[in-house]
Amino acid sequence: AVCINRRAGRFRFASRLEDNRAEVLISRGEYNLAADVLSNNVGACARDQWNRAHYWRIFRLACCQRVSGDVLAYLETLTQSFNPRLSSVAPKKTASLFQNDLEDLITDASVAEPRWGAFPFLETELSIESETAGKTSQPLPFLRRKLSKYLTYVGDELRFSLNINSHLPRAISVNGIRLYLVTLASYEQVYQRNGTVSEEDAFRILSIDAPITIEPGKNKFSFSWQPMTYNVYVLATVEIQWKEASFFYDS
């Protein structure tokens, strides 16, 4: 029935049938199979911006993953539940319980290996604060877009402002925040390779050490750097290390 409705272009009805299928599997205790169905179906409501239905599917998916013990998948689902678009429909009690589980998961050693991407529970924005830096734009053909380019003198101190908007209901304490500076030549090589910036690619890593508290809502942090060589540098990646997990926000 699901395939017939999809071929007929009735995607929403097919999605509802998949929900019913998942609920049947949950009632049988087949949580892994139910999680597979829900994970393939959870984005349907997001595309239509049906926020309440989207949050309900995330909630049911989280329930299945919690029981089945799939730590990595459960961590990703929990971070997606704090999407700012869902904050208006997320019950406060459920959000608090989800943060409790999230704080437990990030202490698990198994979450240390994956390179976690830019999940919506934290949003970042970088800017340059300098009285001497002039601003232009520079097209990058390999990216097919333009980047803002700041011109300054060797020896001048630069200050970078990092704004972090947290959508978690409670404050968290993170281990560290790092900013990866990469030369433009290295950045092009990274992009052509796999687009993932590593420590080996960085010309300089600026850091803020613990203890660092990120409150719900807007938070502002700053880095300072005094360049002593002439080159073109890209503010490539922000890394936020929270217990065992590291979240990377690439430019």
Side-chain angles (χ1 to χ4, degrees):
V2 172
C3 292
I4 290 173
N5 279 279
R6 284 178 175 166
R7 288 179 180 177
R10 295 189 290 267
F11 299 108
R12 292 176 180 174
F13 190 74
S15 177
R16 289 174 59 187
L17 290 176
E18 287 282 65
D19 280 349
N20 294 334
R21 178 185 169 205
E23 293 297 332
V24 171
L25 292 171
I26 291 172
S27 68
R28 294 175 179 173
E30 300 177 15
Y31 298 106
N32 285 322
L33 292 176
D36 290 340
V37 173
L38 288 167
S39 61
N40 292 327
N41 199 36
V42 72
C45 291
R47 289 189 292 271
D48 292 329
Q49 297 185 7
W50 291 358
N51 294 333
R52 291 187 184 276
H54 183 202
Y55 191 82
W56 170 251
R57 288 180 178 176
I58 287 179
F59 174 76
R60 296 303 281 161
L61 176 59
C63 291
C64 294
Q65 292 169 339
R66 191 177 197 271
V67 176
S68 65
D70 190 342
V71 174
L72 302 184
Y74 188 33
L75 174 62
E76 184 172 354
T77 300
L78 289 176
T79 57
Q80 296 294 338
S81 73
F82 296 106
N83 188 311
R85 281 173 43 188
L86 303 177
S87 59
S88 61
V89 299
K92 292 183 179 180
K93 186 175 182 180
T94 305
S96 179
L97 291 173
F98 276 175
Q99 183 167 344
N100 290 342
D101 280 5
L102 181 58
E103 291 175 349
D104 288 339
L105 286 182
I106 59 169
T107 63
D108 193 302
S110 63
V111 306
E113 184 176 352
R115 188 186 192 275
W116 299 102
F119 288 146
F121 76 105
L122 295 177
E123 294 180 312
T124 63
E125 181 181 10
L126 266 173
S127 59
I128 296 179
E129 299 177 354
S130 174
E131 296 181 357
T132 60
K135 183 178 179 180
T136 62
S137 62
Q138 176 171 341
L140 295 183
F142 62 92
L143 285 180
R144 295 183 180 179
R145 63 175 179 173
K146 291 183 179 180
L147 295 183
S148 296
K149 182 177 181 180
Y150 291 82
L151 306 176
T152 188
Y153 297 101
V154 171
D156 284 353
E157 183 177 19
L158 294 176
R159 295 190 65 83
F160 308 107
S161 177
L162 173 64
N163 294 307
I164 298 179
N165 194 10
S166 172
H167 300 289
L168 297 172
R170 299 191 304 273
I172 60 173
S173 179
V174 300
N175 302 41
I177 302 175
R178 304 202 296 173
L179 173 60
Y180 290 53
L181 275 72
V182 180
T183 64
L184 183 59
S186 297
Y187 189 68
E188 183 173 359
Q189 293 175 2
V190 168
Y191 185 82
Q192 293 174 347
R193 184 181 68 219
N194 57 16
T196 301
V197 176
S198 64
E199 291 190 18
E200 291 73 20
D201 300 314
F203 174 83
R204 182 67 55 85
I205 299 178
L206 310 179
S207 61
I208 304 174
D209 297 324
I212 305 169
T213 300
I214 299 178
E215 300 284 347
K218 296 182 179 180
N219 302 261
K220 187 175 182 179
F221 304 95
S222 62
F223 304 87
S224 60
W225 179 50
Q226 189 176 28
M228 300 306 296
T229 56
Y230 171 78
N231 212 323
V232 179
Y233 304 97
V234 178
L235 307 181
T237 299
V238 173
E239 176 191 2
I240 301 175
Q241 185 178 4
W242 185 16
K243 301 292 176 62
E244 296 292 336
S246 291
F247 300 92
F248 292 84
Y249 294 77
D250 300 320
S251 61

